[in-house]
Amino acid sequence: MKKFISFLVVLLTSFSVFAQEEVQMADQMRADGKIWVVVGVIAIVFVGIIAYLVLLDRKISKIEKGL
């Protein structure tokens, strides 16, 4: 258990170190206005996944009612 907890502490510490670095690509995309394209694509993918899950839930509900 101690190994697992120490692993999590090291992992979370490394994430905080990476978060403090500046990302040149993100700054350039923000300056060019292309960041909105990335946000749009991510939003479209997210909406597609949600729609798929809703349709899948409806199909499963119909199958459950039929049994």
Side-chain angles (χ1 to χ4, degrees):
M1 188 67 176
K2 287 182 181 180
K3 288 182 182 180
F4 181 71
I5 292 173
S6 62
F7 174 73
L8 286 178
V9 168
V10 170
L11 186 67
L12 293 175
T13 305
S14 66
F15 283 144
S16 67
V17 170
F18 287 129
Q20 294 174 359
E21 296 178 9
E22 288 189 28
V23 180
Q24 296 291 332
M25 180 181 66
D27 291 337
Q28 183 64 36
M29 290 182 79
R30 202 174 298 124
D32 294 341
K34 293 180 182 177
I35 194 73
W36 296 111
V37 174
V38 174
V39 171
V41 169
I42 291 172
I44 289 171
V45 169
F46 185 70
V47 167
I49 291 172
I50 296 297
Y52 173 74
L53 290 175
V54 168
L55 290 175
L56 190 63
D57 183 52
R58 287 182 184 172
K59 288 181 182 180
I60 291 173
S61 296
K62 284 181 182 178
I63 292 172
E64 287 176 345
K65 287 180 182 178
L67 296 177

